[in-house]
């Protein structure tokens, strides 16, 4: 390896050697707030669908198209966002995606019909799809290796905060008036303002800066974190270094399927596909499924809120276990737990069984999401890390497109029991796929 390609390892090693500081916390909370706002937007649409079914007399097909349109945008946005993040930087893409989906969410509140709402949900999806893998990549490249998995699970746990906010808004705002769903979507436009804060306040990835030959900026960022930790800058690292040739850092999707990476890419895409299918199939439709099962709109929203709160302890357990069991084992166990919970939900009869099984599904499914986001950026080198994470998410969003379309068909054929048995089967396949992922617990990221 040449000296110019060894250089990033020096600053990366200095960054990895630091404890968790207030700069790490600022990055985590700043990125997590954007993550929570993402979840709030995705969660809100599930409550909007339930009201539109009543207010617009929208058919199951129309509701499925509204839900799936956002995921079509997310699939495209995830792939493009990852590529852009490896070319122009993680922070810029993060802020841009927040701005796109925030403004589009506000505009979607003005929709006068199904077709217009579908179009705006597609634009919303473009921003949402790109933001999540880029945010996890950025945070993983700063997190200390010994607790990196835990940090990413904590980042992912902001999803539960956002989804809970969506459930609160869905419970209090959506049923309050005929235009409640519009007011809910207006609230979802908050990320447009937050994007400015993100752009000005968060650091750019040191590993990305190094790969682009921007050594002065990389050095300044490392010193900023060292100062926060009270660590003196090593004098041997101060000298300016020759720039890394840009050709060495350009991301290509084909690299994901090179001999050294194809097995992990295949396993990762399989897990992302299956988890997305079951998660979005279940939770996007949950309020509507409860209404169709005989519960009132307000009561179904209340039950959904209770079920959603169980996501938080699921994340907490996952955050602890990823640094004790490792990412792969934690992911597989939580996926098996998700499968069992899905079967129990499909068999649930009375209200207590519905809520209990739903809470178990929230606990295990979101714990699995935390472990999945922890392992995803770890398995690729810096030059294609965001690309790898983005494309995995993009493949997952294909399943998220299919799931809302499949739910009405499966429910008509075999009811809620068949529907959640299918979700359980996808969770089992995902658990088997997780066993093909490399274990990166406590290991420094590849430069």
């Amino acid at each position: 390896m040449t000296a110019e390609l060894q250089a990033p390892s020096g600053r990366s090693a200095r960054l990895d050697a630091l404890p968790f500081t207030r700069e790490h916390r600022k990055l985590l909370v700043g990125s997590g707030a954007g993550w929570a706002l993402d979840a709030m937007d995705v969660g809100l649409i599930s409550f909007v669908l339930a009201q539109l079914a009543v207010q617009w007399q929208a058919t199951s097909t129309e509701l499925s198209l509204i839900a799936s349109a956002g995921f079509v945008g997310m699939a495209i946005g995830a792939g493009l966002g990852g590529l852009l993040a490896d070319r122009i930087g993680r922070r810029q893409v993060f802020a841009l995606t927040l701005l796109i989906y925030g403004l589009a969410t506000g505009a979607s509140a003005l929709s006068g019909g199904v077709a217009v709402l579908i179009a705006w949900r597609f634009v919303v999806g473009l921003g949402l799809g790109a933001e999540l893998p880029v945010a996890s990549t950025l945070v993983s490249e700063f997190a200390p290796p010994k607790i990196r998995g835990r940090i990413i699970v904590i980042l992912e746990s902001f999803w539960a905060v956002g989804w809970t906010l969506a459930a609160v808004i869905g419970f209090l705002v959506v049923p309050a008036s005929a235009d409640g769903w519009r007011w809910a979507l207006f609230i979802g436009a908050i990320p447009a303002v937050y994007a400015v804060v993100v752009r000005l306040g968060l650091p750019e990835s040191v590993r990305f800066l190094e790969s682009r030959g921007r050594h002065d900026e990389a050095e300044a960022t490392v010193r900023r974190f060292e100062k926060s930790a009270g660590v003196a800058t090593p004098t041997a690292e101060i000298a300016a270094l020759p720039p890394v040739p840009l050709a060495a850092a350009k991301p290509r999707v084909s690299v994901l399927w090179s001999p050294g990476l194809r097995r992990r890419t295949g396993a990762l895409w399989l897990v992302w596909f299956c988890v997305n299918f079951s998660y979005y199939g279940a939770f996007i439709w949950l309020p509507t499924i409860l209404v169709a099962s005989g519960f009132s709109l307000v009561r179904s929203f209340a039950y959904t809120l209770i079920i959603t709160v169980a996501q938080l302890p699921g994340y907490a357990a996952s955050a602890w276990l990823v640094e004790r069991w490792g990412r792969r084992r934690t992911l597989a166990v939580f996926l098996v737990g998700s499968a069992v919970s899905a079967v129990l939900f499909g068999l649930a009869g009375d209200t207590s069984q519905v809520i209990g099984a739903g809470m178990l599904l929230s606990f295990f499914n979101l714990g699995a999401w935390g472990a999945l986001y922890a392992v995803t950026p770890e398995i690729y080198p810096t030059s294609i890390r965001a690309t790898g994470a983005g494309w995995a998410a993009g493949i997952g969003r294909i399943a998220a497109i299919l799931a809302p379309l499949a739910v009405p068909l499966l429910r008509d054929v075999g009811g809620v029991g068949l529907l959640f048995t299918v979700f359980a089967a996808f969770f089992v396949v995902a658990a088997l796929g997780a066993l093909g992922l490399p274990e990166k617990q406590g290991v420094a990221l590849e430069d």
Side-chain angles (χ1 to χ4, degrees):
M1 184 178 287
T2 63
E4 59 190 10
L5 291 180
Q6 290 174 351
S9 297
R11 292 192 181 98
S12 297
R14 287 163 53 193
L15 196 61
D16 287 346
L18 297 178
F20 187 81
T21 70
R22 65 177 180 274
E23 289 293 335
H24 289 100
R25 184 170 58 251
K26 179 181 177 182
L27 174 63
L28 176 60
V29 173
S31 300
W35 202 292
L37 292 169
D38 275 7
M40 185 176 73
D41 182 276
V42 177
L44 281 175
I45 199 64
S46 67
F47 297 95
V48 169
L49 291 178
Q51 189 177 50
L52 292 182
V54 176
Q55 184 176 328
W56 284 1
Q57 296 297 303
T59 66
S60 293
T61 299
E62 289 173 329
L63 296 176
S64 295
L65 289 173
I66 292 171
S68 292
F71 294 119
V72 172
M74 291 175 78
I76 297 171
L80 291 178
L83 284 168
L84 281 174
D86 280 332
R87 288 180 180 271
I88 67 174
R90 286 73 160 115
R91 183 177 63 176
Q92 281 85 338
V93 175
F94 185 26
L96 178 63
T97 56
L98 284 168
L99 186 63
I100 289 173
Y101 94 77
L103 292 176
T105 296
S108 67
L110 303 175
S111 301
V114 172
V116 176
L117 184 56
I118 288 173
W120 278 119
R121 291 308 302 174
F122 172 78
V123 179
V124 169
L126 290 175
L128 283 171
E131 192 275 326
L132 297 178
V134 172
S136 62
T137 298
L138 176 63
V139 175
S140 70
E141 290 179 333
F142 278 98
K146 290 183 178 180
I147 58 170
R148 184 175 59 239
R150 184 167 298 160
I151 295 302
I152 299 303
V153 177
I154 293 173
L155 171 66
E156 230 287 278
S157 70
F158 279 86
W159 184 270
V161 175
W163 201 281
T164 302
L165 286 173
V168 171
I169 294 169
F171 179 63
L172 298 177
V173 177
V174 175
S177 68
D179 289 328
W181 67 273
R182 297 184 189 274
W183 288 111
L185 291 178
F186 274 128
I187 294 172
I190 293 174
V193 177
Y194 181 69
V196 179
V197 178
V198 172
R199 180 62 182 86
L200 296 177
L202 299 186
E204 181 56 90
S205 164
V206 170
R207 286 174 166 85
F208 170 78
L209 293 172
E210 289 281 6
S211 73
R212 291 299 179 181
R214 293 159 61 179
H215 300 295
D216 290 343
E217 294 175 68
E219 180 65 29
T221 300
V222 174
R223 291 189 184 191
R224 173 176 158 187
F225 275 73
E226 288 175 334
K227 181 179 179 181
S228 179
V231 175
T233 299
T235 56
E237 298 287 343
I238 296 179
L241 299 165
V244 176
L246 294 183
K250 287 183 178 179
R252 299 191 312 275
V253 178
S254 60
V255 176
L256 302 177
W257 290 95
S258 60
L261 296 176
R262 62 177 58 142
R263 178 183 176 186
R264 63 185 66 179
T265 296
L268 188 66
W269 285 16
L270 177 64
V271 176
W272 270 90
F273 185 91
C274 292
V275 172
N276 270 268
F277 186 91
S278 294
Y279 173 74
Y280 286 108
F283 284 92
I284 287 294
W285 277 95
L286 187 57
T288 305
I289 290 172
L290 292 175
V291 170
S293 298
F295 297 104
S296 68
L297 188 68
V298 173
R299 182 168 293 182
S300 71
F301 284 3
Y303 291 165
T304 302
L305 175 58
I306 295 170
I307 290 170
T308 300
V309 172
Q311 295 180 6
L312 290 168
Y315 281 123
S318 181
W320 184 69
L321 290 172
V322 290
E323 300 299 0
R324 292 186 64 86
W325 286 359
R327 288 77 159 116
R328 184 171 55 194
R329 184 180 175 189
T330 301
L331 177 58
V333 168
F334 273 79
L335 287 170
V336 171
S338 299
V340 174
S341 302
V343 171
L344 292 175
F345 190 90
L347 297 175
D350 59 32
T351 300
S352 61
Q353 291 175 347
V354 168
I355 294 177
M359 292 180 71
L360 283 175
L361 184 58
S362 275
F363 176 90
F364 284 109
N365 197 180
L366 277 297
W369 269 117
L372 181 56
Y373 268 103
V375 73
T376 297
E378 291 183 335
I379 66 176
Y380 295 111
T382 298
S383 62
I384 58 166
R385 182 167 295 123
T387 299
W391 272 78
I395 293 298
R397 301 317 179 196
I398 294 174
I401 296 166
L402 298 175
L405 298 173
V407 167
L409 299 175
L410 291 170
R411 194 177 61 191
D412 289 344
V413 171
V416 174
L418 173 63
L419 178 63
F420 279 83
T421 298
V422 172
F423 292 154
F426 272 83
F427 280 132
V428 171
V429 173
L432 295 174
L435 300 179
L437 296 172
E439 181 57 64
K440 296 290 184 179
Q441 179 186 3
V443 179
L445 294 176
E446 295 179 55
D447 285 329

